[in-house]
Amino acid sequence: MNLPYFLGCPSWNDAAWRGALYAPGLPASGFLASYCSAFNTVEGNTTLYAWPSVQKIERWAAVMPAEFRFCAKLPREISQAPDLRDVGELIIAFRTLLEPLGTRVTPFWLQLPGSFGPARLEELTELIDTLNRPIAVEVRHPAFFAKGEEERALNRMLHERGVERICMDTRALFSCQSRDPAVVHAQSKKPRLPVRPTAFSDAPQLRFVGHPALEANDPFLAPWLGKVAQWIEAGKRPHVYLHTPDNRLAPELAMRFHEQLCERLPGLPQLAVAPMQSESQLSLLETAR
């Protein structure tokens, strides 16, 4: 898929996508190949919670196309360590584990907890230098969003190293007033912080957590459509990851984003999505209303 940007979802192994992204009878073993035929990147949530086995990495490497991007999240043992300067050996071990994926692991993602504040900036600098690979960082401490010297120090450090500050946008999620358990759970887990549309390299990173009703996301997507189009026209190759509260509709939201981006950038290739999905998308949209 020859897109000028990377577009994907938080994972590929969701059985609820049968009949939408995947054929109804597709076994789970076929999900990754089918996912890679539609999208060219995935947010590697799986590695945040558990180290994959060597055999699993080898299976992924055999299926993922060379141009595919697997944004592997550094495991919690690293990102949530009391001192990031103590995890050098873990970083090297994790980097070595993923070596069969080659350049498909670009960038690594570091998702820091809300407790990680400005006083620990030196730790973050050392971790970035130890990893010595393309990396993107997500911060959640309020001081990094206060437009003060602490935020400027973070941005300077990242910019000097060409490290992306992941753009997290949860405004659509928190605009939802539903008491549906999936929405309530997502709102309890996701940060509610100001949006920072930064681009410190040629690969800016966007995580958009959406409303369960697909059309309700359009006003929140509109500024990002303009920004992503601007980045592409400037020669950058952004990464865009679409979430919904339980991610059942994440593929549909990603498709919606791409359809609307095509209106901004005529000539963009269409996604290679099976024809059966058109009816499924309409059904899922009605369910979400």
Side-chain angles (χ1 to χ4, degrees), residues 256-270:
R256 189 180 188 91
F257 180 90
H258 185 73
E259 289 170 1
Q260 295 181 16
L261 186 62
C262 286
E263 297 173 6
R264 302 288 186 107
L265 296 175
L268 277 185
Q270 295 296 316

Side-chain angles (χ1 to χ4, degrees), residues 1 32-39 65 271-273:
M1 180 168 46
L32 178 56
S34 187
Y35 178 92
C36 291
S37 71
F39 299 113
L271 298 180
V273 178

Side-chain angles (χ1 to χ4, degrees), residues 89-142:
E89 291 185 2
L90 285 175
I91 291 172
I92 294 169
F94 185 67
R95 191 178 67 193
T96 301
L97 174 65
L98 269 61
E99 279 182 353
L101 294 174
T103 57
R104 284 167 286 199
V105 184
T106 306
F108 284 88
W109 273 21
L110 175 64
Q111 183 175 299
L112 294 168
S115 59
F116 188 97
R120 301 181 63 187
L121 191 58
E122 183 179 338
E123 298 175 35
L124 176 57
T125 304
E126 186 167 320
L127 181 147
I128 291 169
D129 294 341
T130 299
L131 181 62
N132 193 30
R133 291 288 190 282
I135 183 172
V137 176
E138 181 183 303
V139 292
R140 298 185 174 189
H141 193 284

Side-chain angles (χ1 to χ4, degrees), residues 16-269:
W17 297 351
R18 287 193 181 101
L21 186 63
Y22 305 141
L26 184 70
S29 59
F31 286 178
L32 178 56
S34 187
Y35 178 92
C36 291
S37 71
F39 299 113
N40 59 359
T41 189
V42 69
E43 182 181 313
N45 270 335
T46 180
T47 57
L48 177 67
Y49 302 106
W51 291 56
S53 67
V54 172
Q55 293 75 20
K56 184 172 288 188
I57 294 294
E58 290 174 348
R59 288 198 298 271
W60 294 349
V63 175
M64 292 178 181
E67 293 300 314
F68 190 83
R69 292 293 177 263
F70 177 66
C71 291
K73 290 186 179 180
L74 295 176
R76 288 181 293 180
E77 297 96 316
I78 295 173
S79 60
Q80 298 182 20
D83 192 324
L84 296 181
R85 291 169 293 197
D86 296 336
V87 295
E89 291 185 2
L90 285 175
I91 291 172
I92 294 169
F94 185 67
R95 191 178 67 193
T96 301
L97 174 65
L98 269 61
E99 279 182 353
L101 294 174
T103 57
R104 284 167 286 199
V105 184
T106 306
F108 284 88
W109 273 21
L110 175 64
Q111 183 175 299
L112 294 168
S115 59
F116 188 97
R120 301 181 63 187
L121 191 58
E122 183 179 338
E123 298 175 35
L124 176 57
T125 304
E126 186 167 320
L127 181 147
I128 291 169
D129 294 341
T130 299
L131 181 62
N132 193 30
R133 291 288 190 282
I135 183 172
V137 176
E138 181 183 303
V139 292
R140 298 185 174 189
H141 193 284
F144 291 133
F145 297 84
K147 297 185 177 180
E149 180 54 36
E150 292 166 322
E151 181 174 4
R152 287 191 289 271
L154 170 71
N155 288 343
R156 279 196 303 270
M157 186 275 289
L158 296 177
H159 188 268
E160 287 169 358
R161 288 164 172 77
V163 170
E164 284 301 340
R165 177 176 176 175
I166 295 170
C167 310
M168 166 72 95
D169 188 349
T170 59
R171 292 174 295 182
L173 170 66
F174 285 102
S175 74
C176 183
Q177 302 301 312
S178 170
R179 303 312 297 168
D180 178 89
V183 173
V184 173
H185 178 74
Q187 290 176 340
S188 72
K189 294 295 184 182
K190 300 297 184 185
R192 190 172 190 173
L193 293 164
V195 177
R196 292 290 185 265
T198 56
F200 293 155
S201 75
D202 288 336
Q205 309 280 312
L206 167 62
R207 297 181 72 207
F208 182 94
V209 187
H211 193 288
L214 296 183
E215 75 280 8
N217 291 290
D218 290 351
F220 300 95
L221 286 176
W224 287 115
L225 292 164
K227 178 61 70 175
V228 170
Q230 178 185 359
W231 283 335
I232 292 172
E233 290 174 332
K236 299 182 184 297
R237 199 169 186 194
H239 289 229
V240 179
Y241 300 94
L242 285 302
H243 299 232
T244 55
D246 59 4
N247 287 319
R248 188 172 62 88
L249 294 175
E252 282 77 9
L253 185 56
M255 295 173 205
R256 189 180 188 91
F257 180 90
H258 185 73
E259 289 170 1
Q260 295 181 16
L261 186 62
C262 286
E263 297 173 6
R264 302 288 186 107
L265 296 175
L268 277 185

